[in-house]
Amino acid sequence: MLSRKALARVALGTAAILAASSAAAVGLGPLVLQGVIDGPREGFSLELYNPYPEATDFVLYPVGLDDETAQDRVAILPAEVQLGSQRNRRILVVATALAAGETYKFRVCAQRKTPPEGVMINARVCSKITARRVG
């Protein structure tokens, strides 16, 4: 059994590791977004942020809310973008073919297009989006 002092050291070390890894992850927001429309298309705006110390190529793609199924009804403009260090860019997301009364839920994820050599985990971030068309 670990002493209180040892537990505190473990907790502090874990917090430092988590802070360092999350500080270097791509930024995408807002993380939850929803909209209501009376037509077949709904547009959303997301903000992509590059926290890395160099210009980086990013790729954005739509997947299912609870799985990795590609979402053909979602367009992302631009789907690939290069951002300079500490820069951000607005991304347009359009959900199409919404039926009357339909609620369509999906995620838009962003990650580095190609991780640097030696990086074992290519971190990504996803926003949950809900588009609802009134009947």
Side-chain angles (χ1 to χ4, degrees), residues 18-129:
L18 290 175
S21 63
S22 64
V26 59
L28 182 67
L31 293 178
V32 177
L33 195 56
Q34 52 188 331
V36 178
I37 192 74
D38 63 354
R41 288 184 301 276
E42 174 70 33
F44 299 93
S45 178
L46 295 174
E47 196 78 22
L48 179 67
Y49 176 72
N50 177 9
Y52 303 109
E54 66 279 333
T56 304
D57 292 319
F58 294 97
V59 62
L60 295 99
Y61 51 94
V63 294
L65 188 62
D66 297 318
D67 57 31
E68 296 298 313
T69 305
Q71 300 298 299
D72 297 334
R73 296 170 47 189
V74 178
I76 301 173
L77 305 168
E80 293 186 14
V81 63
Q82 183 179 63
L83 282 178
S85 175
Q86 310 297 312
R87 300 285 185 201
N88 60 334
R89 176 166 182 177
R90 192 167 303 270
I91 304 296
L92 177 64
V93 177
V94 181
T96 61
L98 298 170
E102 178 184 14
T103 299
Y104 179 46
K105 297 181 179 186
F106 60 95
R107 293 178 296 152
V108 171
C109 300
Q111 67 186 43
R112 285 191 260 192
K113 186 173 181 180
T114 307
E117 279 189 45
V119 172
M120 299 296 287
I121 297 174
N122 192 18
R124 76 173 185 180
V125 65
C126 299
S127 291
K128 293 180 181 181
I129 300 178

